[in-house]
Structures are given as structure tokens and as C-alpha cells.
Amino acid sequence: DTAVSQTPKYLVTQMGNDKSIKCEQNLGHDTMYWYKQDSKKFLKIMFSYNNKELIINETVPNRFSPKSPDKAHLNLHINSLELGDSAVYFCASSGTGDQPQHFGDGTRLSIL
Amino acid sequence: GENVEQHPSTLSVQEGDSAVIKCTYSDSASNYFPWYKQELGKRPQLIIDIRSNVGEKKDQRIAVTLNKTAKHFSLHITETQPEDSAVYFCAASLPGTASKLTFGTGTRLQVTL
């Protein structure tokens, strides 16, 4: 009964390709997030959706496009992958407002 | 925007000793301060959090203190055990519909036997 699940767990692909990562939560939360954790372990927020509406959009290249078909799902599509996109991408969810965030297991993206 | 600094970057303690990790934040409007533990290759897991209307919170061997005037907060782990070894992240969040967490740079805690 994984609360926040991401697929795939590992993604190895070549520069220039387009890829998607999917996230689903079964906690009944209204808010979902994408974070990027780089090789130095620094965690930085990328996007957040509340009830399918984009509410946080940090300075992220527009090659990254999130989509939330419903409040339980948040996907991340990345176009024209670059070497610098190699990282672990974490999905998280929380209730509305300043509520604890629960993280998924992460997707390790490696660009060759 | 918010900026969070975290010290030390690495911390080695002997089993049974206490460990203290300190963070400072820049925006006095921040009102929510969680701490996450991340084991190698795993997801960040919330271990304790504190809100700006509280000065201290304790959960068994873990405690967090908040000094709003000085804009700093600290994590205290007592009677450390080898399974406490991990990277610990502090974070701060401004009020809003979503909790926009700004994370510190992490502290790698090593508990030795």
C-alpha cells in the first residue's frame, strides 16, 4: 500500500530524448509536488499542483512540463533531455497549506 | 525568496552521544519547519516538524527548537544509535496554499560504535 508511488524507478536514456515520469498518491491529498535532487543531494522544488491547478512554478527550463489529470496524479514530461538533467526526481504530496509532505521513492534519471 | 543554511555538513558521533544540527532561515514570515531523514538511496522521510507558534517539540529521542527572533531552529537527537546514520535536511516554508519548502543543504550524520 505505497502512499506515493512513482514510475519508473530508474530511467536511462540518451541526450535529446523525451521522457515522462508518473506519480500517484492514495493519501487523499490535494497538493502534489515535484522536486529535483542533484548529485550533491540538494533538494529543490520544481512544481506544485493543488487540485489540478499549478500553484508553484520555480525557475525551471520550459523543457519540463508537469501535468495533473486529477488530484491523485502528477506527471512530469521532459523534452530534449540534457546531461544536466541527470538527477533523482521526487514526487511528494500533502494536504492543502503547511502540511507534512510525503515523498515517493524517487526516479533516478541518467542521461548518457 | 527564502534561504536556509544548515550546519554542520557532516557530523560524526559515538553511539549513545547526542547530535545537534542547526539551521537558519532568512524570511521572518516562514511559519513551518520540518526535518527530514534520508537514508542512502531512499526517499526523504519526515521525522519531526514545528510551527512558528511553538518553541519546542519532542518525540522520544528527537526534539526540535525554534527561535523566531534569531530565525534559527535546531534538531537534537539524544542517545544516538547506528540506525540514526543518514542525511538530515531542515526546511522552511512560507504560508500559502502549498507548502513551498526551501531545504537546507543537508547534514550527513554518522553514528559510530
Side-chain angles (χ1 to χ4, degrees):
Chain A
D1 287 357
T2 306
V4 182
S5 58
Q6 296 179 228
T7 54
K9 193 171 174 64
Y10 300 97
L11 192 47
V12 182
T13 190
Q14 291 193 326
M15 232 170 25
N17 284 350
D18 303 337
K19 290 292 178 186
S20 292
I21 307 171
K22 297 188 175 184
C23 180
E24 176 181 3
Q25 56 94 4
N26 63 6
L27 296 167
H29 288 158
D30 293 326
T31 310
M32 296 184 72
Y33 310 79
W34 279 113
Y35 286 88
K36 179 180 181 180
Q37 186 169 45
D38 62 22
S39 57
K40 295 183 180 177
K41 304 297 183 190
F42 187 56
L43 264 168
K44 188 166 169 53
I45 191 165
M46 300 172 69
F47 303 102
S48 176
Y49 273 75
N50 177 264
N51 279 318
K52 302 194 295 176
E53 181 186 349
L54 180 66
I55 52 171
I56 295 174
N57 186 356
E58 290 296 280
T59 309
V60 176
N62 55 17
R63 298 182 295 104
F64 290 78
S65 51
K67 276 208 176 105
S68 181
D70 56 63
K71 70 175 193 177
H73 294 84
L74 180 61
N75 304 322
L76 183 66
H77 187 76
I78 316 170
N79 288 327
S80 304
L81 282 157
E82 300 177 358
L83 287 174
D85 297 333
S86 294
V88 180
Y89 292 85
F90 285 100
C91 176
S93 73
S94 76
T96 299
D98 301 324
Q99 298 300 316
Q101 291 185 26
H102 299 263
F103 283 75
D105 288 333
T107 295
R108 183 173 294 277
L109 174 63
S110 300
I111 310 300
L112 303 177
Chain B
E2 176 65 281
N3 183 49
V4 176
E5 294 190 359
Q6 182 172 347
H7 299 282
S9 56
T10 60
L11 180 58
S12 183
V13 299
Q14 283 201 317
E15 185 179 7
D17 287 350
S18 295
V20 180
I21 302 170
K22 298 183 179 183
C23 289
T24 59
Y25 60 99
S26 60
D27 196 325
S28 56
S30 288
N31 65 347
Y32 175 62
F33 307 91
W35 286 86
Y36 285 83
K37 174 184 180 183
Q38 187 177 28
E39 296 176 16
L40 189 63
K42 305 279 188 179
R43 61 187 170 93
Q45 286 193 287
L46 180 73
I47 55 171
I48 196 167
D49 57 10
I50 192 167
R51 298 181 189 279
S52 57
N53 58 347
V54 175
E56 185 172 356
K57 184 176 178 181
K58 192 173 179 182
D59 182 4
Q60 300 184 331
R61 297 186 296 110
I62 294 173
V64 58
T65 58
L66 172 64
N67 183 328
K68 284 192 297 182
T69 305
K71 290 188 283 188
H72 65 69
F73 55 116
S74 301
L75 177 71
H76 304 252
I77 306 174
T78 58
E79 299 170 33
T80 53
Q81 300 166 4
E83 51 265 37
D84 294 330
S85 297
V87 178
Y88 291 80
F89 292 95
C90 63
S93 172
L94 292 161
T97 305
S99 184
K100 183 182 171 183
L101 293 178
T102 300
F103 281 88
T105 48
T107 296
R108 184 173 299 278
L109 173 64
Q110 180 73 44
V111 179
T112 57
L113 296 172

